[in-house]
Amino acid sequence: MTPNLLADYALPNVCEYVAGRTFDQRIQEVLPYWLAPRAADFPLPLSTPTTGINTFIFTNQNFQMGVPTTFVATKSIMNLNTFGDSPRIRFRDNQNNRDLMNYWVSATNIFGQAGRGYQLPEPLIIDANADLQMQTNGFFQSGTASNRMYLHGRQYYLMNGARRAEILERKRYISPFWLTPEADVNLSANTTTSYQVKIAQGHFRGLQIQVASTSALTFKITDVLRRQTLMNGATPFPGPNAQYNVGMYPNWQSVSFMLPQGSVLRFELTDLSGASNKVSIAIAGQMLYCPIREVQPLLRDLAKPWKMEFEA
Amino acid sequence: MKSALYKTPQGIIGDLGEIQSVPYFLTPNVPNEVIALTAPGLAAGPIPMTAPFDGPLILRSLYANITDLATAFVDFSIQDGTEERQLQNAPIYLPTILGTYERPYYLPQYLFIPENGVLNMSLGSTAAFTDLRMCFGAAKLLRRTLDQSGKLALDRIQRRSILSIPYFMTFQNGSLALGALGSGTGEMQVSNEGTFLLRKISYISTGALNFNIRNESTGESLFVAPAGQTYDVPIQTIVGQFGTPLDLIEPWLIGNGQKLLVTATDTSNGANTLYLTLSGEFIRNGDMR
C-alpha cells in the first residue's frame, strides 16, 4: 500500500514469472506499451489555446497476425504547459459504458506537476478495438510540445482465450474510480463549504487522496453512514503557492477505505488564504460492481499471486 | 469464528474485513495549528497529537508544509501508557525526512498509538521560519467492529509495539561540518537497550561529498571495494537528492551499543555541512513473541 512514489515510472517488468508460463512464452505474449489519444480527435501538441470541453479517444487498434490484443494500462503520463488553472478531466470506459469519475477532477490532481508517471489505483483495461474516452474541461495553453498524454502498461499479444477471459473478467467487476465533490469548488475568502457525495455506482474502495488548489486550505472528510471523521482536526493542504509544493504527489492511504454502495461522504473545505480559492479534491480507488455479500470473496480473489502483475 | 455485523444500505453483512478500519489523519490537537518560530534559536513544543478514544491508530506516513525547510530540527516522543519513548537519538533535521519536495514520507516502521495515546513533537530552529503545518497518515482500527481475526491481529500489533518502534539516528550534534576538500568522521551509537534495524538513508548537504558508513564493532561497511578495503562514494549517486530517502534493499542490523562511523570527504571545494538521517526500527531487548 505504500509504493515508492519516486520509482513509479519504471518500465513494467516483462520478465516476471507467471505461474504456468515459461519465460520465453511470457516475452512473446507481453510487451511494454504506450497508448496515445487518436490524433484525429485532438492533435497534440496544441497550436492554439483551447477552452471548453474537448474529447479524446484512446483506441486499442493493435493486431498481431490478425489476432486482437488487450492493453492493460497501469500508469498514465501527462504534461501540461500550465497547471495553475489546469483543465478538469473525466474518464469514461465506452466498452462497458461506465463513467470512471462522479464529476470533473483536476488534471493536476491526477497527474501532478512534475511530468512523472502516475500509478493508477486500478488498471485501465482496453480490449482490442475498444475505446477509453477522456474529456477535458477548461483551459489548455497552446504552444510548445508540452501538452501530451499517454497511457502506459502492457500489451498482451497472441493471448490464449482463457487468459484474455481472465483479464476481461477483472474488468467486469472492478474499475478505477475517482470520487470528488459534485461541483466546481471555488471557495470564497476564509469561508467553509461542505459537499456531500453519495456512492451510487457500486462499492467504492478508496486508495489514494489527491488535493490541488490555487492556495492554502484545510479539509475534513466524514463517512456519514459510519459516523467516522477521518481526522482529529481539519487537515492542512498548502496549495501550489507554497514554496515546496511542486510535486503534487498523491498520498497513498495507510489502509483502504471501503464505502458500500449508498454510503455518503462529506467533504468540508475551508479557505486559509483570504482570497478566492479553486479546489479539487479527489479520492482515487476502485469501484467494485457486485452484490455487497460478494465483495469479500472478490477481494480475496484479487489478491491471488498471479494477479499481482496488474499492480506494478 | 464469529464476525462483526455491519449494516449497509444493501443489508447486513458479516464478513467484510475491510470495514474494520478507516484511513485517518492525525494532526496537532489545536485545529489547524500553524507552528511559527520567528527567530533563530527558538523552540516550540511539545506539541501533542492525541489518538481518538474509539480506536487505536497505526501511523504510516508523514507530510507537512513549511515555508523554509532548511532551518528546523524535530524530535518525536510517544506516550502510550508504558513510558515516554523517544523516536530518535538526537533531534532530526526536518528536511532529511520530509525532503524539499512536498511528498509524503513513509515511516520506516509503523507506529502504533493506542486509544488516547499521545504523540509529542518538539521543534527547534537555527533560523526563523513562520509557517509549518503537518499531519500523519494513519489507519484507524474500529475496535467495535473488529472480528475475531481482527482482534488477534490487534493484540499482536499491540504487543509488538511495546518492543518495536520506528527510530531515527543522526549525529549527536546535528551535523558534520567539512572544510573545503576536507574530511571528517561523525559517530552514531546505538543504545545498550536494543538493536537498530537500518532501513532508510537520507541526507541534505550544502555541497557535493563522498561518504561511507562503517560499523566500528563488526568492521562491516556500506561500501566495500573489491580488494576488501572500504572506500567513500559520492552520496548523491547512492542516495539521490532533495532529501529523498533511499530504501535499502535489505535492512542492516546494528547490534546493542554498537557504534557507526560516518566518514565524509568534501568534493565541492567549499565549506560543506552534512545532515544525515538513518531511519529504521529500534527493537528493545526482550521477548518479541
Side-chain angles (χ1 to χ4, degrees):
Chain A
M1 197 51 64
T2 55
N4 181 354
L5 292 168
L6 295 174
D8 67 2
Y9 186 63
L11 284 174
N13 182 2
V14 295
C15 301
E16 68 200 272
Y17 174 75
V18 175
R21 285 180 166 70
T22 65
F23 176 71
D24 281 352
Q25 282 173 324
R26 171 77 178 161
I27 57 177
Q28 281 175 19
E29 286 182 355
V30 187
L31 281 179
Y33 196 81
W34 284 261
L35 186 67
R38 272 195 325 225
D41 297 323
F42 207 67
L44 290 175
L46 303 179
S47 54
T48 54
T50 308
T51 55
I53 294 178
N54 293 286
T55 303
F56 302 77
I57 303 288
F58 293 82
T59 306
N60 185 22
Q61 288 178 311
N62 213 330
F63 288 82
Q64 191 178 53
M65 292 157 52
V67 179
T69 61
T70 300
F71 179 51
V72 179
T74 48
K75 297 182 174 71
S76 63
I77 307 118
M78 179 179 244
N79 248 339
L80 291 178
N81 265 345
T82 53
F83 275 94
D85 192 14
S86 70
R88 297 185 175 213
I89 285 183
R90 279 187 103 141
F91 282 123
R92 182 177 167 77
D93 176 357
N94 280 344
Q95 188 182 18
N96 287 31
N97 286 327
R98 278 182 192 156
D99 282 318
L100 305 185
M101 290 159 174
N102 63 328
Y103 195 72
W104 301 97
V105 174
S106 163
T108 314
N109 248 192
I110 300 177
F111 304 109
Q113 292 185 314
R116 66 192 157 72
Y118 164 69
Q119 177 126 19
L120 295 162
E122 163 69 16
L124 281 163
I125 297 169
I126 308 178
D127 203 11
N129 268 334
D131 290 344
L132 175 81
Q133 174 183 295
M134 183 179 85
Q135 287 190 307
T136 62
N137 183 1
F139 184 68
F140 256 126
Q141 188 158 340
S142 68
T144 69
S146 301
N147 291 312
R148 295 212 179 256
M149 159 88 191
Y150 298 96
L151 294 172
H152 179 38
R154 296 172 172 86
Q155 188 74 268
Y156 286 79
Y157 292 89
L158 297 175
M159 205 187 312
N160 65 47
R163 182 81 179 123
R164 181 159 176 267
E166 279 172 358
I167 291 177
L168 294 179
E169 187 194 0
R170 179 179 178 112
K171 183 179 176 180
R172 187 175 154 203
Y173 290 111
I174 180 168
S175 25
F177 200 86
W178 286 261
L179 196 68
T180 185
E182 293 178 355
D184 291 328
V185 180
N186 290 298
L187 300 177
S188 305
N190 299 324
T191 58
T192 298
T193 313
S194 292
Y195 301 86
Q196 296 219 138
V197 181
K198 190 164 186 178
I199 288 84
Q201 291 86 345
H203 314 294
F204 181 66
R205 187 169 182 249
L207 297 170
Q208 311 165 353
I209 183 158
Q210 299 149 343
V211 188
S213 67
T214 46
S215 44
L217 74 141
T218 60
F219 65 92
K220 208 177 200 178
I221 301 174
T222 305
D223 174 355
V224 177
L225 189 74
R226 275 194 279 180
R227 300 185 189 91
Q228 286 293 327
T229 300
L230 304 190
M231 44 275 290
N232 63 328
T235 299
F237 182 79
N241 293 330
Q243 187 177 351
Y244 293 103
N245 186 22
V246 291
M248 294 292 180
Y249 291 97
N251 180 25
W252 285 76
Q253 290 161 188
S254 300
V255 66
S256 59
F257 184 25
M258 176 57 76
L259 291 163
Q261 190 172 31
S263 297
V264 174
L265 207 60
R266 187 169 63 231
F267 294 89
E268 201 176 302
L269 306 168
T270 304
D271 169 67
L272 294 179
S273 69
S276 65
N277 195 345
K278 188 172 175 181
V279 182
S280 180
I281 182 167
I283 298 177
Q286 300 161 327
M287 193 60 90
L288 309 173
Y289 300 89
C290 62
I292 188 74
R293 286 170 197 282
E294 289 173 23
V295 166
Q296 189 69 11
L298 179 67
L299 293 175
R300 215 174 292 135
D301 197 36
L302 293 176
K304 282 181 183 171
W306 65 264
K307 289 188 172 172
M308 291 297 284
E309 68 183 279
F310 286 122
E311 294 178 1
Chain B
M1 193 174 288
K2 190 173 171 2
S3 297
L5 296 179
Y6 178 55
K7 193 177 171 193
T8 79
Q10 288 191 340
I12 292 173
I13 51 170
D15 62 347
L16 183 52
E18 299 223 346
I19 61 170
Q20 301 180 40
S21 58
V22 291
Y24 197 83
F25 298 88
L26 184 69
T27 71
N29 290 349
V30 177
N32 188 33
E33 179 161 3
V34 178
I35 301 151
L37 295 177
T38 51
L42 286 180
I47 297 157
M49 289 169 257
T50 307
F53 67 92
D54 59 343
L57 298 182
I58 297 173
L59 269 56
R60 293 302 301 269
S61 57
L62 165 66
Y63 50 108
N65 172 246
I66 184 168
T67 49
D68 187 356
L69 266 173
T71 58
F73 288 84
V74 63
D75 72 76
F76 295 107
S77 68
I78 173 171
Q79 293 170 298
D80 57 1
T82 52
E83 58 184 306
E84 182 161 357
R85 287 185 283 168
Q86 297 288 324
L87 302 190
Q88 60 281 309
N89 67 328
I92 300 297
Y93 191 57
L94 196 56
T96 60
I97 52 174
L98 287 178
T100 51
Y101 280 85
E102 196 162 83
R103 47 152 180 75
Y105 170 77
Y106 293 98
L107 297 175
Q109 159 74 359
Y110 65 76
L111 177 61
F112 179 83
I113 306 184
E115 289 97 328
N116 293 321
V118 180
L119 180 67
N120 286 313
M121 177 177 75
S122 298
L123 284 159
S125 69
T126 51
F129 70 86
T130 54
D131 191 359
L132 168 66
R133 296 184 176 91
M134 52 84 63
C135 78
F136 281 89
K140 177 181 171 186
L141 301 180
L142 305 177
R143 197 179 276 276
R144 278 185 308 171
T145 65
L146 289 182
D147 63 14
Q148 195 59 30
S149 60
K151 283 176 183 157
L152 288 172
L154 174 59
D155 186 47
R156 208 163 46 239
I157 291 168
Q158 201 153 9
R159 274 185 289 137
R160 183 185 167 88
S161 74
I162 295 169
L163 294 180
S164 160
I165 48 172
Y167 200 75
F168 303 98
M169 289 196 67
T170 189
F171 301 120
Q172 285 296 340
N173 59 355
S175 63
L176 181 63
L178 304 171
L181 301 178
S183 299
T185 302
E187 294 181 356
M188 300 179 193
Q189 184 149 20
V190 177
S191 135
N192 277 318
E193 291 177 0
T195 302
F196 181 56
L197 206 52
L198 169 57
R199 293 183 195 277
K200 294 181 185 221
I201 299 174
S202 55
Y203 81 101
I204 295 279
S205 70
T206 49
L209 58 94
N210 293 349
F211 88 120
N212 198 357
I213 305 176
R214 190 159 65 86
N215 185 332
E216 192 188 42
S217 309
T218 64
E220 295 167 334
S221 76
L222 202 55
F223 312 113
V224 183
Q229 70 271 37
T230 61
Y231 67 126
D232 293 0
V233 296
I235 195 165
Q236 189 175 319
T237 313
I238 300 295
V239 183
Q241 286 188 80
F242 312 122
T244 306
L246 169 78
D247 290 307
L248 298 182
I249 288 173
E250 279 292 316
W252 188 11
L253 190 125
I254 318 295
N256 282 18
Q258 292 183 352
K259 189 189 282 183
L260 293 177
L261 297 177
V262 179
T263 54
T265 307
D266 170 67
T267 55
S268 70
N269 202 11
N272 201 343
T273 305
L274 169 66
Y275 302 91
L276 182 72
T277 298
L278 309 180
S279 350
E281 181 181 353
F282 187 73
I283 304 163
R284 287 212 292 190
N285 302 329
D287 190 347
M288 286 277 283
R289 281 173 299 174

